[in-house]
Amino acid sequence: MDPARAAEVSGVVAEKMLHYRRDESGWKTCRSGKGVTISWRPSTEFPGNLYKGEGIIYGTPEEVWKFLLPADNGLRAKWDENVKDLQVLELIKDDLLITRTITPSAAMKLISPRDFVDLVLIKKYDDGTITSNATYLDYPSCPPQSGYVRGFNHPCGCFCEPVPGEPNKTHVVSFFQTDLSGYLPQKVVNSFFPHSMAELYNNLQKAVNKLQE
């Protein structure tokens, strides 16, 4: 992909992510417990929902980020039940890459395996926050493949934010607005995301705990 075009697209996505992070209007809580809150509001990108997850993970932002970093043979597929494999298709710059994420079947196999091709920008802010900023990409070198339904991630990602005065804690804020494609009942989609996002926080904390042992 043309690096200038990739930088332009990813920059727009990063700005949208900042807007999602700062805009507190319209969110409705759909799941809460064990220190994790999942909320939603209608997406402005597609006929679906934008979901937000918030929770504290016990670990520094750098420690937590190791488990969220998109990388070949990275840690994500080892702890995240919703990621079967993550492949880097193209490394444009150290902080800008194209990935393919493969997800297993879910919701008692009502949701069949999916794959997603995304442009991902890794961005760090002056306050120590580390972020991923991603959106789907039409990438001719990786067309839809047999056995997987091609899904589409509209602007999404996460923020690993320092907690003031508590260096061993990280405030993780995640955003998902995913078109799973295929012929899925909306009820299945609406129940899948809050549950899977809550489990993400639970499994992320377990993974970080093992690092600290």
Side-chain angles (χ1 to χ4, degrees), residues 64-100:
V64 174
W65 176 249
K66 289 178 183 178
F67 292 89
L68 295 169
L69 175 70
D72 276 325
N73 301 312
L75 297 174
R76 186 68 181 262
K78 294 182 171 76
W79 65 267
D80 191 338
E81 295 175 350
N82 288 306
V83 176
K84 185 176 181 180
D85 192 20
L86 194 153
Q87 307 159 358
V88 175
L89 301 178
E90 182 179 341
L91 186 64
I92 301 168
K93 295 195 301 180
D94 286 346
D95 59 357
L96 188 58
L97 56 158
I98 297 169
T99 64
R100 177 179 181 238

Side-chain angles (χ1 to χ4, degrees), residues 33-52:
K34 297 182 179 179
V36 177
T37 299
I38 311 297
S39 51
W40 70 277
R41 70 185 188 195
S43 170
T44 58
E45 300 286 335
F46 80 116
N49 295 329
L50 168 63
Y51 290 93
K52 176 172 70 171

